[in-house]
Amino acid sequence: MKYLKFLLVGIFFGIVLVKSEAVSWYRIYEMFRFQSFHMYGIIGTAIASGILFLQISKRGIIKSIKGADIFVPKKEKGISRYIIGGTLFGFGWALIGACPGPMYILLGTGVYSMIIVIAAAMLGTFIYGTIKDKLPH
């Protein structure tokens, strides 16, 4: 029962993304062609919210579900890995028309072809986990 609130927030988040058309392939297509500000506004709002809540959690105001302080480890410096990873993520996003969160939302709305996309994403994650020690980081 203690996880019920997270399920409800997830359902609410899915409804918000569907109603704001953030899971619409057409809106994503517009974004990658720089034809509309719609998706950039949604992404910008998400970034601003993330920064705000991260700063609040760093000050100890927000705690984890177990009451512990939230700790975000520092990332290793290096620009090339973020450029390469971000480019691959962007290519996948543009090709499929959905990033990881909306993939599950689209599946929930009845787009059953997303099962293939989710399976491919999980396979890619598994392959990366298998070979990550051999990759230059």
Side-chain angles (χ1 to χ4, degrees), residues 33-53:
R33 296 204 46 177
F34 301 103
Q35 294 176 335
S36 175
F37 182 75
H38 185 88
M39 289 297 290
Y40 293 111
I42 292 172
I43 293 168
T45 302
I47 291 170
S49 300
I51 290 170
L52 176 70
F53 283 107

Side-chain angles (χ1 to χ4, degrees), residues 6 10 15 34 42-43 50 67 74-75 78 96 102 105 110 131 133 136:
F6 296 104
I15 291 169
F34 301 103
I42 292 172
I43 293 168
K74 299 256 183 207
K75 292 190 178 223
I96 299 303
I105 295 167
I131 65 170
D133 294 333

Side-chain angles (χ1 to χ4, degrees), residues 26-85:
Y26 179 73
R27 289 292 185 186
I28 294 168
Y29 177 76
E30 280 182 330
M31 177 187 70
F32 281 110
R33 296 204 46 177
F34 301 103
Q35 294 176 335
S36 175
F37 182 75
H38 185 88
M39 289 297 290
Y40 293 111
I42 292 172
I43 293 168
T45 302
I47 291 170
S49 300
I51 290 170
L52 176 70
F53 283 107
L54 185 62
Q55 292 304 314
I56 291 171
S57 68
K58 281 184 177 180
R59 288 168 176 70
I61 298 169
I62 297 176
K63 305 281 187 183
S64 73
I65 191 170
K66 296 181 180 176
D69 286 338
I70 297 173
F71 173 73
V72 179
K74 299 256 183 207
K75 292 190 178 223
E76 293 179 31
K77 294 189 178 189
I79 191 84
S80 62
R81 64 196 227 159
Y82 296 114
I83 290 175
I84 294 168

Side-chain angles (χ1 to χ4, degrees), residues 85-97:
T87 301
L88 288 173
F89 181 84
F91 283 156
W93 190 8
L95 180 66
I96 299 303

